[in-house]
Amino acid sequence: MIDLTQDIQYVKGVGPNRAILLRKLGINNLEDLITYYPRNYEDRGKPISIIDAQDEEEVLIEGVVVSKINEIRTRRRNMTIYKLIVRDETESCVMIWYNQAYLKSLFKIGQKCRFFGKISKKAGKIEMNSPVYDFEGKDRNTGKIIPIYPLTYKLKQNTIRKIIETGLKLIENDKLEETLPDYILKENNLIDINSAIKKIHFPENFEDFSKARKRLVYEELMNMQILLLSLKNKYSKKEEGIRFSKSAKMSDVINALPFKLTKAQLRVLEEIDRDMESGKVMNRLLQGDVGSGKTAISMIAGYKAVKSGYQMTIMAPTAILAAQHLESFEKTLAPFGIKCELLVGSITKKKKEDILERLKNGEIDILIGTHALLEENVVFKNLGLVVTDEQHRFGVRQRGIISSKGNNPDVLVMTATPIPRTLALILYGDLDISIIDELPPNRKEIKTHIVRKAKEQGLNSFVREQIKQGRQAYIVCPLVEDSEEIEANSVMKMAEIYQNQVFPDLKVEYLHGKMKAKEKDAIMEDFKNGKIDILISTTVIEVGVNVPNASIMIIENAERFGLAQLHQLRGRVGRGEYESFCFLKCEGKSEIARQRMNVMKETNNGFIISEKDLELRGTGEFFGTKQHGLPEFKIANLFEDIKILKAVQETALKVINEDPYLEQEKNEKFKKFVEKRFNERLEI
Ligand code: ADP
Ligand code: MG
C-alpha cells in the first residue's frame, strides 16, 4: 500500500517552491493532493468547425498554422502581442497571446494544432484570446474532459493538473486501500476508491464523472454520520450521570399548571424523564416551533432536578428573555418552595455577590441568566440540570463551560429554529432529539398578507384601527441605519417616517442591537406595559419575547430575510387572545422571492417552512454565514446531495444500531476511520 502521508514536496515535479504554493491551498501530502477535487470540467473532446464558432463561446478548434504575425509592442501599456492565423476547411481564426514571447519559436507554418479558448467575433473577424493548445497527436490540454481546480493561488491550472496527474501515477494499479466496507459498496452500487479517485480528476465521459462523484460524496457523508453517531455512543458510555429520583414526580407540576399539556409536550417530557432517571448523562435537543411551550418543559424538568436534591440553571440569549423566564418559573414553582434567581450583566455588584453566595450554599435552586452565567465565579453547590434556550445563539463550547460547573449534569438544549431533520442529524448528531410538533389548541392562526407599495395606505389605516382597539404593533426593518449599498429600509429612517409623518399622534419607539442593554430593556419594558403603541426594530426582537397584547407584525423588505427568520418574527404575535396579523412588505419581483413569500402566506408550520427555505435557497443561505456550525465538505453539497444524505443517514443509523461500537468485522473500515478521527482529536 502506498504512503498517503508522504510530503507533497517529494512528489515528482513539485520541489520546495511549488510545495510552498501548494501548502497555501491546504495540500500538504499525497492524500491532500489526490483529494483536491475539480470544481468544474471543460469538454475539450471534439473540435468544431471555425465557421460554427459562436461569439463568447468556449470551443475547441483544429487547424493548420498559415501565418505568424510578428509580435507587436504596445507602447502605452508596455505589452507584447503575438498573433497566429489558423485555418480549417471552413474559415480562419486569429489566435492572440499577450506577453508570451516564447511562443514565437514554438509554432511552425503548416503545423496542425488544436486550440481551446473563448471566441470573440469583431467585424467579421474571428479571434481567440490566450487559447491553450496541443500539437497534433498530443492531448495534454485538449482532446478530453479537462478538470478545472477550484483555487490555484499562483499556480496555473496546467501546472496543478500536471502535479495531480503525477500524484495519480503514484497510486496506479489500485494502490489505494478501500475505505468503505465491501457490503456498503455492493448494497449502494458504488464504485471502488481507486476508480473513483482516478475518474473524478480525469473522467472519460459524464457517466464516469457522476459515478465517481456519487461514490465520493457517499463516503464523505457516511463517514461523518458514523463519526457523529459514534461520538454520541462514546459520550453516553463514558461517564456515570446523575440518577434523578423516581419519587420526584413531574406530574406534581403538570397537574398544577393552568393549562393542559399537549400530547407532544407530554411525549417529550416522558423522554426527558426517562433520561433523567437513567444513569446515563442526558444530552438532548428539544426542537419546538415558537409558542409550542418549551419553557413549560424546562420548568417541569427543573422541578424534578430540584426535588431530587440538585440545582438547575437555564441560560437565555438576552436579558429580556431571562427576566421573562424568571417570571414564569416563579409563578409555577414558588408554590412548591423552589427558590429562583436571575443573574444578568446589569444587576448591581451587591446583589450579584449575594446571589453567588447563596448559589454556593445551595439556597438558590434555580438560577436563570444570560452569558453572565458562564463567568468563573458562578459556582453551584450541586448543579444537576443545565438548560440552554435558543441554542443557535450559543456555541458548543459555551454549552461545555456551563456543564463543567456540575458533575456530569444532564443537558437540555432548546431551540425554536426548526431545522429539517436531515440537517439536525448533522448539526446535533451528538444529541438525542425531541420534537414538539404541535401547538397548544388555543392558538389562533396568524393571518399573513403580502403588501405591495400601492397598498401601504390601507395597511396604515388598519394599524391605526387596531391600536385604537388597544392593540400594539411591531415593525421590523432589515437595517439599523440607512446604507448606500443596500436599498432597504432602516430602523432609523422608518422611525423618523412613522413618528413624524404616518403616526404623529401615536407613541412610536425604536429598538436596535447597537443600543445599550439598559436602554433596550427599558424600551422593551415600556412596550410590554403598553406604554408604546408601535415598536420599530431590527431582528433583535426575534428571540422569544412575549407581549400577548401585540397583534400586528409588519416586516419591511421581507424579501431580505430568511424564511426561518420571518417565521420567528411572525411568532412574536398571536401570543394572546387577540386575532393577529403579519404583513410582509415586499417589492422583490423574482420568481423565488414570490414563491418564498407564498410559503409564508400558506403555512404557519415552522418545519414545513424550513424545508421549503432549504429547497429554495440552499444550505449556505439557510444558515447565513459560516457560523451555522455545519462541517465543511470536500465534495458533498448538503443541498444538492440531500437525497444521498437521507440514504446515508438511514444506513448509518442501521449500522450503529446493529453494531454500536463497530466491533463486527464487516464494519472494520468504519471503525478505522472513527478511531483515526478520535485520535487526531479533530473538532467536528
Ligand atoms: P416557546 O416554545 O416559544 O418557548 P413558551 O414556552 O414561551 O413557547 O409558551 C408560549 C405560551 O404558551 C406561554 O404563555 C405558555 O404559558 C403557554 N403554553 C405552553 N404550553 C401550553 C399548553 N399546553 N396549553 C396552553 N398554553 C400553553
Ligand atoms: Mg421560548
Side-chain angles (χ1 to χ4, degrees):
M1 288 294 149
I2 185 107
D3 177 15
L4 287 174
T5 64
Q6 60 182 282
D7 196 284
I8 191 71
Q9 185 172 334
Y10 305 110
V11 171
K12 221 171 86 192
V14 175
N17 290 336
R18 282 180 175 168
I20 292 171
L21 299 177
L22 286 168
R23 282 183 220 285
K24 292 212 199 271
L25 301 174
I27 302 174
N28 294 301
N29 59 31
L30 183 57
E31 178 169 4
D32 299 334
L33 181 70
I34 61 173
T35 57
Y36 196 71
Y37 301 125
R39 158 176 64 81
N40 210 340
Y41 301 84
E42 272 172 11
D43 189 353
R44 302 180 188 170
K46 286 170 244 108
I48 63 164
S49 299
I50 297 178
I51 201 162
D52 293 332
Q54 301 296 318
D55 194 24
E56 294 285 299
E57 198 184 17
E58 290 205 307
V59 297
L60 177 71
I61 60 181
E62 189 175 61
V64 175
V65 178
V66 291
S67 72
K68 304 206 282 186
I69 298 175
N70 275 340
E71 75 190 74
I72 308 159
R73 228 171 249 285
T74 61
R75 223 174 292 145
R76 230 161 25 112
R77 285 200 276 165
N78 196 22
M79 256 191 321
T80 56
I81 302 177
Y82 177 67
K83 292 187 184 179
L84 207 63
I85 297 175
V86 174
R87 253 200 102 77
D88 69 3
E89 292 89 54
T90 61
E91 251 300 357
S92 61
C93 176
V94 185
M95 306 295 157
I96 304 173
W97 290 272
Y98 303 91
N99 291 337
Q100 304 206 27
Y102 67 94
L103 289 173
K104 209 160 57 173
S105 51
L106 220 55
F107 291 97
K108 312 249 166 349
I109 304 282
Q111 201 171 21
K112 201 171 191 188
C113 306
R114 285 177 156 194
F115 300 88
F116 181 87
K118 196 188 244 178
I119 292 287
S120 95
K121 281 187 166 175
K122 284 188 202 125
K125 248 191 177 164
I126 304 173
E127 296 178 349
M128 198 182 259
N129 273 309
S130 310
V132 297
Y133 50 85
D134 270 324
F135 298 109
E136 191 175 16
K138 293 253 168 67
D139 63 355
R140 180 153 287 289
N141 295 309
T142 66
K144 55 189 170 187
I145 296 175
I146 299 284
I148 308 294
Y149 291 93
L151 263 181
T152 56
Y153 193 55
K154 285 182 181 159
L155 291 162
K156 288 207 178 108
Q157 282 288 345
N158 264 345
T159 315
I160 203 156
R161 202 164 65 228
K162 252 184 252 169
I163 297 172
I164 286 176
E165 244 170 340
T166 316
L168 291 179
K169 284 238 172 66
L170 291 174
I171 58 162
E172 235 167 22
N173 303 324
D174 299 347
K175 289 210 185 62
L176 287 178
E177 192 180 338
E178 181 52 59
T179 42
L180 284 175
D182 207 37
Y183 76 100
I184 293 283
L185 293 179
K186 286 211 180 89
E187 280 170 19
N188 296 284
N189 225 342
L190 302 171
I191 63 172
D192 69 282
I193 185 70
N194 281 288
S195 324
I197 290 284
K198 210 158 49 197
K199 287 179 175 170
I200 197 73
H201 290 288
F202 298 105
E204 272 166 30
N205 48 47
F206 184 73
E207 201 192 339
D208 263 10
F209 157 75
S210 59
K211 275 187 183 157
R213 186 170 186 282
K214 179 179 164 201
R215 140 85 209 209
L216 295 169
V217 167
Y218 193 98
E219 172 176 351
E220 191 168 38
L221 294 174
M222 189 67 178
N223 276 339
M224 175 209 56
Q225 206 66 62
I226 291 275
L227 183 66
L228 282 168
L229 295 174
S230 303
L231 209 61
K232 178 152 73 179
N233 279 338
K234 200 173 144 119
Y235 280 150
S236 53
K237 189 170 143 185
K238 193 178 54 182
E239 278 155 316
E240 254 320 84
I242 301 164
R243 283 175 200 276
F244 291 91
S245 166
K246 280 192 178 359
S247 58
K249 288 204 164 55
M250 289 186 167
S251 54
D252 295 346
V253 193
I254 296 175
N255 294 331
L257 288 172
F259 45 75
K260 213 169 140 246
L261 291 181
T262 59
K263 271 203 212 93
Q265 282 171 313
L266 287 169
R267 188 189 61 233
V268 166
L269 278 172
E270 239 168 68
E271 291 164 353
I272 293 174
D273 204 24
R274 206 178 313 132
D275 278 4
M276 286 182 78
E277 286 180 6
S278 86
K280 95 178 219 256
V281 180
M282 172 167 79
N283 266 302
R284 189 167 282 281
L285 175 73
L286 172 57
Q287 272 196 298
D289 216 338
V290 259
S292 61
K294 295 184 292 295
T295 316
I297 302 284
S298 66
M299 286 191 302
I300 296 164
Y303 171 85
K304 185 169 180 93
V306 173
K307 288 299 168 190
S308 306
Y310 292 89
Q311 288 168 303
M312 175 226 194
T313 188
I314 170 164
M315 183 160 73
T318 65
I320 300 169
L321 206 54
Q324 212 168 274
H325 280 329
L326 179 74
E327 209 175 291
S328 325
F329 270 67
E330 280 191 324
K331 206 161 101 195
T332 308
L333 298 180
F336 294 98
I338 291 175
K339 182 77 196 125
C340 304
E341 273 290 359
L342 182 69
L343 184 73
V344 293
S346 58
I347 59 170
T348 63
K349 200 161 162 244
K350 195 154 151 269
K351 174 98 183 153
K352 186 170 171 185
E353 276 166 9
D354 171 59
I355 289 180
L356 294 181
E357 186 57 34
R358 287 190 295 132
L359 186 69
K360 223 193 291 184
N361 293 339
E363 285 169 49
I364 294 173
D365 299 310
I366 296 182
L367 187 63
I368 298 165
T370 53
H371 285 82
L373 295 172
L374 297 171
E375 284 169 26
E376 216 169 304
N377 56 9
V378 178
V379 180
F380 292 81
K381 180 168 181 235
N382 196 6
L383 178 62
L385 176 65
V386 172
V387 177
T388 60
D389 195 6
E390 315 293 345
Q391 152 73 15
H392 60 299
R393 309 259 155 168
F394 298 114
V396 177
R397 205 175 59 86
Q398 291 166 320
R399 219 202 292 158
I401 292 178
I402 193 142
S403 296
S404 68
K405 291 176 185 284
N407 191 11
N408 294 331
D410 279 3
V411 175
L412 182 67
V413 174
M414 305 199 295
T415 176
T417 310
I419 305 163
R421 186 176 162 75
T422 26
L423 294 189
L425 265 175
I426 296 179
L427 274 170
Y428 300 108
D430 58 328
L431 303 181
D432 292 311
I433 300 179
S434 290
I435 297 178
I436 312 184
D437 50 6
E438 174 184 7
L439 290 181
N442 57 355
R443 289 297 136 76
K444 288 219 171 70
E445 184 109 330
I446 302 162
K447 297 220 166 82
T448 301
H449 300 278
I450 297 156
V451 181
R452 303 279 173 192
K453 202 147 196 98
K455 294 275 166 66
E456 245 168 41
Q457 289 285 334
L459 172 58
N460 292 340
S461 324
F462 179 78
V463 171
R464 186 183 295 281
E465 189 57 37
Q466 284 277 308
I467 288 174
K468 240 190 228 159
Q469 290 176 22
R471 303 289 80 72
Q472 289 164 284
Y474 296 98
I475 299 178
V476 175
C477 307
L479 301 170
V480 179
E481 284 165 61
D482 258 10
S483 137
E484 294 202 349
E485 288 101 70
I486 312 171
E487 216 182 291
N489 291 329
S490 74
V491 169
M492 303 311 284
K493 188 176 108 194
M494 295 317 283
E496 159 83 27
I497 293 173
Y498 280 105
Q499 278 172 334
N500 300 326
Q501 297 168 28
V502 187
F503 301 117
D505 50 326
L506 299 177
K507 185 91 177 86
V508 182
E509 272 295 353
Y510 63 85
L511 187 73
H512 58 73
K514 288 190 186 158
M515 286 160 63
K516 292 211 180 73
K518 265 201 177 136
E519 284 178 276
K520 278 192 288 194
D521 291 353
I523 289 191
M524 218 42 235
E525 200 54 38
D526 281 354
F527 188 66
K528 230 173 150 174
N529 295 329
K531 291 184 192 159
I532 295 171
D533 298 315
I534 299 176
L535 183 62
I536 302 181
S537 165
T538 54
T539 54
V540 288
I541 58 133
E542 167 192 339
V543 191
V545 285
N546 196 17
V547 182
N549 191 51
S551 66
I552 295 178
M553 166 62 64
I554 297 173
I555 299 169
E556 302 278 344
N557 299 105
E559 72 278 2
R560 302 197 74 87
F561 295 88
L563 292 190
Q565 208 174 14
L566 288 176
H567 180 65
Q568 290 291 312
L569 289 168
R570 179 167 62 183
R572 294 308 105 217
V573 297
R575 303 177 80 86
E577 63 209 90
Y578 309 106
E579 177 155 48
S580 296
F581 306 88
C582 174
F583 298 99
L584 303 170
K585 284 191 172 176
C586 162
E587 294 306 315
K589 293 203 174 56
S590 80
E591 176 60 20
I592 295 263
R594 206 185 55 77
Q595 281 186 26
R596 292 177 64 235
M597 292 305 123
N598 274 339
V599 172
M600 292 302 297
K601 201 172 146 175
E602 276 155 23
T603 179
N604 263 303
N605 180 323
F607 284 94
I608 295 178
I609 288 173
S610 72
E611 291 275 1
K612 284 279 179 203
D613 204 13
L614 189 62
E615 198 180 301
L616 293 172
R617 294 203 304 172
T619 42
E621 291 276 333
F622 180 78
F623 286 104
T625 55
K626 274 193 182 165
Q627 292 167 15
H628 52 56
L630 283 170
E632 294 224 12
F633 295 105
K634 272 195 155 165
I635 190 161
N637 169 324
L638 290 182
F639 182 52
E640 283 173 24
D641 298 321
I642 200 92
K643 258 205 189 131
I644 300 186
L645 180 61
K646 282 183 180 163
V648 158
Q649 285 175 335
E650 219 168 275
T651 311
L653 284 168
K654 211 169 98 201
V655 170
I656 292 288
N657 280 341
E658 267 178 30
D659 184 13
Y661 305 109
L662 301 171
E663 288 155 341
Q664 293 176 17
E665 204 186 322
K666 66 173 187 177
N667 290 324
E668 200 197 321
K669 306 258 191 224
F670 285 140
K671 185 173 183 153
K672 215 166 154 182
F673 174 81
V674 167
E675 277 175 353
K676 184 170 156 223
R677 292 295 291 263
F678 276 155
N679 290 339
E680 287 168 358
R681 289 177 191 284
L682 282 185
E683 279 271 322
I684 55 158

